Short mmCIF file of all heavy atoms in Angstrom, two decimals:
data_model
loop_
_atom_site.label_atom_id
_atom_site.label_comp_id
_atom_site.label_asym_id
_atom_site.label_seq_id
_atom_site.Cartn_x
_atom_site.Cartn_y
_atom_site.Cartn_z
N ALA A 776 -2.54 -6.51 -10.45
CA ALA A 776 -3.50 -5.42 -10.64
C ALA A 776 -2.79 -4.16 -11.10
O ALA A 776 -3.29 -3.42 -11.96
CB ALA A 776 -4.27 -5.16 -9.35
N ALA A 777 -1.60 -3.92 -10.56
CA ALA A 777 -0.81 -2.76 -10.99
C ALA A 777 -0.32 -2.93 -12.42
O ALA A 777 -0.34 -1.99 -13.22
CB ALA A 777 0.36 -2.54 -10.03
N GLU A 778 0.11 -4.14 -12.77
CA GLU A 778 0.57 -4.40 -14.14
C GLU A 778 -0.57 -4.21 -15.14
O GLU A 778 -0.36 -3.71 -16.25
CB GLU A 778 1.11 -5.83 -14.23
CG GLU A 778 2.41 -6.07 -13.48
CD GLU A 778 2.83 -7.53 -13.50
OE1 GLU A 778 2.24 -8.30 -14.29
OE2 GLU A 778 3.74 -7.89 -12.74
N TYR A 779 -1.78 -4.59 -14.74
CA TYR A 779 -2.94 -4.45 -15.62
C TYR A 779 -3.40 -2.99 -15.73
O TYR A 779 -4.12 -2.64 -16.67
CB TYR A 779 -4.11 -5.28 -15.08
CG TYR A 779 -4.07 -6.76 -15.44
CD1 TYR A 779 -2.96 -7.33 -16.06
CD2 TYR A 779 -5.15 -7.57 -15.15
CE1 TYR A 779 -2.93 -8.68 -16.37
CE2 TYR A 779 -5.14 -8.93 -15.47
CZ TYR A 779 -4.03 -9.47 -16.07
OH TYR A 779 -4.01 -10.81 -16.39
N GLY A 780 -3.04 -2.15 -14.77
CA GLY A 780 -3.52 -0.78 -14.75
C GLY A 780 -4.79 -0.62 -13.93
O GLY A 780 -5.45 0.43 -13.98
N LEU A 781 -5.13 -1.63 -13.15
CA LEU A 781 -6.32 -1.56 -12.30
C LEU A 781 -6.07 -0.65 -11.10
O LEU A 781 -7.00 -0.02 -10.58
CB LEU A 781 -6.70 -2.97 -11.83
CG LEU A 781 -7.92 -3.11 -10.93
CD1 LEU A 781 -9.16 -2.50 -11.58
CD2 LEU A 781 -8.17 -4.57 -10.59
N ILE A 782 -4.84 -0.59 -10.63
CA ILE A 782 -4.45 0.31 -9.55
C ILE A 782 -3.19 1.06 -9.98
O ILE A 782 -2.54 0.69 -10.96
CB ILE A 782 -4.22 -0.45 -8.23
CG1 ILE A 782 -3.06 -1.45 -8.40
CG2 ILE A 782 -5.49 -1.15 -7.77
CD1 ILE A 782 -2.68 -2.17 -7.12
N ASN A 783 -2.82 2.08 -9.22
CA ASN A 783 -1.64 2.87 -9.58
C ASN A 783 -0.34 2.22 -9.14
O ASN A 783 0.60 2.11 -9.93
CB ASN A 783 -1.73 4.26 -8.96
CG ASN A 783 -2.83 5.09 -9.59
OD1 ASN A 783 -3.95 5.11 -9.11
ND2 ASN A 783 -2.51 5.75 -10.68
N ARG A 784 -0.26 1.79 -7.88
CA ARG A 784 0.99 1.20 -7.42
C ARG A 784 0.78 0.35 -6.18
O ARG A 784 -0.26 0.43 -5.52
CB ARG A 784 2.05 2.26 -7.17
CG ARG A 784 1.68 3.37 -6.23
CD ARG A 784 2.65 4.55 -6.39
NE ARG A 784 2.21 5.71 -5.66
CZ ARG A 784 2.64 6.05 -4.46
NH1 ARG A 784 3.53 5.29 -3.85
NH2 ARG A 784 2.21 7.14 -3.85
N VAL A 785 1.81 -0.42 -5.88
CA VAL A 785 1.79 -1.35 -4.74
C VAL A 785 2.91 -0.96 -3.79
O VAL A 785 4.02 -0.64 -4.22
CB VAL A 785 2.01 -2.80 -5.22
CG1 VAL A 785 1.95 -3.77 -4.05
CG2 VAL A 785 0.97 -3.17 -6.28
N VAL A 786 2.62 -0.99 -2.49
CA VAL A 786 3.63 -0.67 -1.48
C VAL A 786 3.53 -1.72 -0.37
O VAL A 786 2.52 -2.42 -0.23
CB VAL A 786 3.42 0.73 -0.90
CG1 VAL A 786 3.55 1.79 -1.98
CG2 VAL A 786 2.07 0.86 -0.21
N PRO A 787 4.57 -1.86 0.45
CA PRO A 787 4.49 -2.79 1.58
C PRO A 787 3.27 -2.49 2.45
O PRO A 787 2.94 -1.32 2.68
CB PRO A 787 5.80 -2.55 2.32
CG PRO A 787 6.74 -2.07 1.27
CD PRO A 787 5.90 -1.23 0.35
N ALA A 788 2.63 -3.54 2.91
CA ALA A 788 1.37 -3.39 3.65
C ALA A 788 1.49 -2.44 4.84
O ALA A 788 0.58 -1.65 5.11
CB ALA A 788 0.89 -4.76 4.13
N GLU A 789 2.63 -2.48 5.53
CA GLU A 789 2.77 -1.65 6.72
C GLU A 789 2.90 -0.16 6.38
O GLU A 789 2.81 0.69 7.27
CB GLU A 789 3.98 -2.10 7.55
CG GLU A 789 5.33 -1.96 6.86
CD GLU A 789 5.72 -3.17 6.03
OE1 GLU A 789 4.83 -4.01 5.75
OE2 GLU A 789 6.92 -3.29 5.68
N ARG A 790 3.09 0.15 5.08
CA ARG A 790 3.26 1.55 4.69
C ARG A 790 2.14 2.06 3.78
O ARG A 790 2.20 3.19 3.31
CB ARG A 790 4.60 1.73 3.96
CG ARG A 790 5.81 1.68 4.87
CD ARG A 790 7.12 1.98 4.15
NE ARG A 790 6.99 2.75 2.93
CZ ARG A 790 7.50 2.40 1.75
NH1 ARG A 790 8.18 1.27 1.63
NH2 ARG A 790 7.36 3.17 0.70
N VAL A 791 1.13 1.23 3.55
CA VAL A 791 0.14 1.60 2.54
C VAL A 791 -0.61 2.87 2.91
O VAL A 791 -0.81 3.77 2.07
CB VAL A 791 -0.82 0.43 2.23
CG1 VAL A 791 -1.70 0.09 3.43
CG2 VAL A 791 -1.68 0.75 1.01
N TYR A 792 -1.03 3.00 4.16
CA TYR A 792 -1.76 4.22 4.53
C TYR A 792 -0.83 5.43 4.53
O TYR A 792 -1.20 6.52 4.08
CB TYR A 792 -2.44 4.08 5.89
CG TYR A 792 -3.16 5.36 6.26
CD1 TYR A 792 -4.35 5.70 5.62
CD2 TYR A 792 -2.63 6.25 7.18
CE1 TYR A 792 -5.00 6.90 5.89
CE2 TYR A 792 -3.27 7.45 7.46
CZ TYR A 792 -4.45 7.76 6.82
OH TYR A 792 -5.08 8.95 7.08
N GLU A 793 0.37 5.25 4.99
CA GLU A 793 1.35 6.34 5.00
C GLU A 793 1.57 6.88 3.58
O GLU A 793 1.63 8.09 3.36
CB GLU A 793 2.67 5.84 5.58
CG GLU A 793 3.80 6.86 5.58
CD GLU A 793 5.12 6.26 6.04
OE1 GLU A 793 5.10 5.17 6.66
OE2 GLU A 793 6.17 6.88 5.79
N GLU A 794 1.69 5.97 2.62
CA GLU A 794 1.90 6.37 1.23
C GLU A 794 0.66 7.08 0.68
O GLU A 794 0.78 8.09 -0.03
CB GLU A 794 2.23 5.16 0.37
CG GLU A 794 3.58 4.54 0.65
CD GLU A 794 4.72 5.40 0.14
OE1 GLU A 794 4.53 6.10 -0.87
OE2 GLU A 794 5.80 5.38 0.77
N ALA A 795 -0.51 6.54 0.97
CA ALA A 795 -1.75 7.16 0.49
C ALA A 795 -1.92 8.55 1.09
O ALA A 795 -2.29 9.51 0.39
CB ALA A 795 -2.95 6.29 0.82
N PHE A 796 -1.63 8.68 2.38
CA PHE A 796 -1.79 9.97 3.04
C PHE A 796 -0.78 10.98 2.49
O PHE A 796 -1.11 12.16 2.30
CB PHE A 796 -1.61 9.84 4.55
CG PHE A 796 -1.86 11.12 5.29
CD1 PHE A 796 -3.16 11.53 5.57
CD2 PHE A 796 -0.81 11.92 5.70
CE1 PHE A 796 -3.40 12.72 6.24
CE2 PHE A 796 -1.03 13.12 6.37
CZ PHE A 796 -2.33 13.51 6.63
N SER A 797 0.44 10.54 2.22
CA SER A 797 1.45 11.44 1.68
C SER A 797 1.00 12.01 0.33
O SER A 797 1.13 13.21 0.08
CB SER A 797 2.78 10.70 1.52
OG SER A 797 3.76 11.53 0.91
N GLN A 798 0.46 11.14 -0.53
CA GLN A 798 0.00 11.62 -1.83
C GLN A 798 -1.22 12.51 -1.67
O GLN A 798 -1.34 13.54 -2.35
CB GLN A 798 -0.33 10.44 -2.74
CG GLN A 798 -0.75 10.89 -4.14
CD GLN A 798 -0.73 9.77 -5.16
OE1 GLN A 798 -0.71 8.60 -4.80
NE2 GLN A 798 -0.72 10.12 -6.43
N ALA A 799 -2.13 12.14 -0.77
CA ALA A 799 -3.33 12.93 -0.55
C ALA A 799 -2.98 14.32 -0.01
O ALA A 799 -3.56 15.33 -0.42
CB ALA A 799 -4.27 12.22 0.42
N LYS A 800 -2.04 14.38 0.90
CA LYS A 800 -1.61 15.66 1.47
C LYS A 800 -1.02 16.56 0.40
O LYS A 800 -1.26 17.77 0.38
CB LYS A 800 -0.59 15.40 2.59
CG LYS A 800 -0.16 16.65 3.35
CD LYS A 800 0.79 16.29 4.48
CE LYS A 800 1.28 17.53 5.20
NZ LYS A 800 2.23 17.19 6.31
N GLN A 801 -0.24 15.97 -0.50
CA GLN A 801 0.35 16.74 -1.59
C GLN A 801 -0.73 17.29 -2.52
O GLN A 801 -0.70 18.46 -2.92
CB GLN A 801 1.32 15.86 -2.38
CG GLN A 801 2.00 16.58 -3.54
CD GLN A 801 2.94 15.66 -4.31
OE1 GLN A 801 3.05 14.47 -4.01
NE2 GLN A 801 3.62 16.19 -5.29
N LEU A 802 -1.71 16.46 -2.86
CA LEU A 802 -2.80 16.91 -3.72
C LEU A 802 -3.65 17.97 -3.03
O LEU A 802 -4.07 18.95 -3.66
CB LEU A 802 -3.67 15.73 -4.12
CG LEU A 802 -3.04 14.71 -5.07
CD1 LEU A 802 -3.95 13.50 -5.24
CD2 LEU A 802 -2.75 15.34 -6.42
N ALA A 803 -3.90 17.79 -1.74
CA ALA A 803 -4.73 18.73 -0.99
C ALA A 803 -4.11 20.11 -0.91
O ALA A 803 -4.81 21.11 -0.71
CB ALA A 803 -4.99 18.20 0.42
N ALA A 804 -2.78 20.19 -1.05
CA ALA A 804 -2.09 21.48 -1.02
C ALA A 804 -2.11 22.17 -2.38
O ALA A 804 -1.65 23.30 -2.51
CB ALA A 804 -0.64 21.28 -0.56
N GLY A 805 -2.62 21.50 -3.39
CA GLY A 805 -2.64 22.04 -4.74
C GLY A 805 -3.77 23.03 -4.96
O GLY A 805 -4.58 23.29 -4.05
N PRO A 806 -3.86 23.59 -6.15
CA PRO A 806 -4.91 24.57 -6.47
C PRO A 806 -6.27 23.89 -6.66
O PRO A 806 -6.47 23.15 -7.63
CB PRO A 806 -4.42 25.20 -7.78
CG PRO A 806 -3.56 24.15 -8.40
CD PRO A 806 -2.93 23.39 -7.27
N PRO A 807 -7.22 24.11 -5.77
CA PRO A 807 -8.50 23.37 -5.81
C PRO A 807 -9.27 23.53 -7.11
O PRO A 807 -9.85 22.55 -7.61
CB PRO A 807 -9.29 23.98 -4.64
CG PRO A 807 -8.25 24.54 -3.73
CD PRO A 807 -7.15 25.01 -4.61
N ILE A 808 -9.26 24.73 -7.68
CA ILE A 808 -10.05 24.95 -8.89
C ILE A 808 -9.44 24.19 -10.06
O ILE A 808 -10.15 23.57 -10.87
CB ILE A 808 -10.14 26.45 -9.21
CG1 ILE A 808 -10.83 27.19 -8.05
CG2 ILE A 808 -10.90 26.68 -10.51
CD1 ILE A 808 -10.83 28.70 -8.20
N ALA A 809 -8.11 24.20 -10.16
CA ALA A 809 -7.45 23.47 -11.24
C ALA A 809 -7.62 21.97 -11.08
O ALA A 809 -7.85 21.24 -12.07
CB ALA A 809 -5.96 23.83 -11.28
N LEU A 810 -7.53 21.47 -9.86
CA LEU A 810 -7.73 20.04 -9.62
C LEU A 810 -9.13 19.62 -10.04
O LEU A 810 -9.32 18.60 -10.70
CB LEU A 810 -7.49 19.71 -8.15
CG LEU A 810 -6.07 19.85 -7.62
CD1 LEU A 810 -6.05 19.57 -6.12
CD2 LEU A 810 -5.11 18.92 -8.34
N LYS A 811 -10.12 20.42 -9.65
CA LYS A 811 -11.51 20.13 -10.02
C LYS A 811 -11.67 20.12 -11.53
O LYS A 811 -12.35 19.24 -12.10
CB LYS A 811 -12.43 21.18 -9.39
CG LYS A 811 -13.89 21.01 -9.77
CD LYS A 811 -14.74 22.10 -9.12
CE LYS A 811 -16.21 21.98 -9.52
NZ LYS A 811 -17.04 23.04 -8.90
N ALA A 812 -11.03 21.07 -12.22
CA ALA A 812 -11.15 21.16 -13.67
C ALA A 812 -10.48 19.97 -14.36
O ALA A 812 -10.98 19.47 -15.38
CB ALA A 812 -10.54 22.47 -14.16
N ILE A 813 -9.36 19.51 -13.83
CA ILE A 813 -8.68 18.34 -14.40
C ILE A 813 -9.56 17.10 -14.25
O ILE A 813 -9.73 16.31 -15.19
CB ILE A 813 -7.31 18.12 -13.73
CG1 ILE A 813 -6.33 19.20 -14.17
CG2 ILE A 813 -6.76 16.73 -14.06
CD1 ILE A 813 -5.02 19.20 -13.40
N LEU A 814 -10.12 16.92 -13.06
CA LEU A 814 -11.00 15.77 -12.83
C LEU A 814 -12.21 15.82 -13.76
O LEU A 814 -12.59 14.82 -14.38
CB LEU A 814 -11.45 15.75 -11.37
CG LEU A 814 -10.37 15.43 -10.34
CD1 LEU A 814 -10.89 15.68 -8.92
CD2 LEU A 814 -9.89 13.99 -10.47
N ASP A 815 -12.82 16.99 -13.87
CA ASP A 815 -14.01 17.13 -14.71
C ASP A 815 -13.67 16.88 -16.18
O ASP A 815 -14.38 16.15 -16.88
CB ASP A 815 -14.58 18.54 -14.54
CG ASP A 815 -15.80 18.77 -15.40
OD1 ASP A 815 -16.85 18.16 -15.12
OD2 ASP A 815 -15.71 19.54 -16.38
N SER A 816 -12.57 17.47 -16.66
CA SER A 816 -12.19 17.30 -18.06
C SER A 816 -11.89 15.85 -18.39
O SER A 816 -12.29 15.33 -19.44
CB SER A 816 -10.96 18.16 -18.38
OG SER A 816 -11.23 19.53 -18.19
N THR A 817 -11.19 15.17 -17.48
CA THR A 817 -10.78 13.80 -17.73
C THR A 817 -11.96 12.83 -17.66
O THR A 817 -12.16 12.00 -18.57
CB THR A 817 -9.70 13.37 -16.73
OG1 THR A 817 -8.60 14.28 -16.81
CG2 THR A 817 -9.22 11.96 -17.02
N ILE A 818 -12.73 12.91 -16.59
CA ILE A 818 -13.83 11.95 -16.40
C ILE A 818 -14.93 12.17 -17.42
O ILE A 818 -15.41 11.22 -18.06
CB ILE A 818 -14.38 12.04 -14.97
CG1 ILE A 818 -13.29 11.78 -13.92
CG2 ILE A 818 -15.54 11.06 -14.79
CD1 ILE A 818 -12.62 10.44 -14.05
N ARG A 819 -15.37 13.41 -17.59
CA ARG A 819 -16.42 13.67 -18.59
C ARG A 819 -15.91 13.43 -20.00
O ARG A 819 -16.64 12.97 -20.87
CB ARG A 819 -16.94 15.10 -18.46
CG ARG A 819 -17.94 15.29 -17.35
CD ARG A 819 -18.85 16.46 -17.65
NE ARG A 819 -18.14 17.73 -17.68
CZ ARG A 819 -18.41 18.71 -18.53
NH1 ARG A 819 -19.36 18.56 -19.45
NH2 ARG A 819 -17.73 19.84 -18.48
N GLY A 820 -14.63 13.74 -20.22
CA GLY A 820 -14.07 13.56 -21.55
C GLY A 820 -14.03 12.11 -22.00
O GLY A 820 -14.12 11.81 -23.20
N GLU A 821 -13.91 11.19 -21.04
CA GLU A 821 -13.91 9.76 -21.37
C GLU A 821 -15.25 9.29 -21.91
O GLU A 821 -15.33 8.28 -22.59
CB GLU A 821 -13.56 8.93 -20.14
CG GLU A 821 -12.09 8.90 -19.79
CD GLU A 821 -11.82 7.92 -18.66
OE1 GLU A 821 -12.69 7.76 -17.78
OE2 GLU A 821 -10.74 7.32 -18.65
N GLU A 822 -16.31 10.02 -21.59
CA GLU A 822 -17.66 9.59 -21.92
C GLU A 822 -18.15 10.12 -23.26
O GLU A 822 -19.25 9.79 -23.69
CB GLU A 822 -18.62 10.04 -20.81
CG GLU A 822 -18.26 9.45 -19.43
CD GLU A 822 -19.09 10.05 -18.31
OE1 GLU A 822 -19.90 10.97 -18.60
OE2 GLU A 822 -18.92 9.63 -17.16
N VAL A 823 -17.32 10.93 -23.92
CA VAL A 823 -17.75 11.54 -25.19
C VAL A 823 -16.67 11.34 -26.25
O VAL A 823 -15.58 10.82 -25.97
CB VAL A 823 -18.03 13.05 -25.00
CG1 VAL A 823 -19.17 13.26 -24.02
CG2 VAL A 823 -16.77 13.79 -24.54
#
């Protein structure tokens, strides 16, 4: 699934939540308005 691009990456099962939380915590510390704008530009941009 990772090779196909269906998911971003694979980690050992015992660390999967730890890895997800680490990335989520890093994103949550970022600038909310810029993050929202990136998501909006990318997702809406794919549709046009």
Side-chain angles (χ1 to χ4, degrees):
E778 291 175 11
Y779 279 8
L781 180 56
I782 62 175
N783 291 93
R784 55 197 171 97
V785 182
V786 299
E789 63 272 15
R790 286 184 24 232
V791 66
Y792 179 73
E793 177 186 343
E794 291 288 329
F796 184 80
S797 176
Q798 183 165 18
K800 185 177 177 180
Q801 180 180 3
L802 291 172
I808 299 173
L810 292 176
K811 177 181 178 180
I813 289 171
L814 291 170
D815 179 69
S816 298
T817 303
I818 302 301
R819 280 206 295 143
E821 282 187 327
E822 300 172 357
V823 298

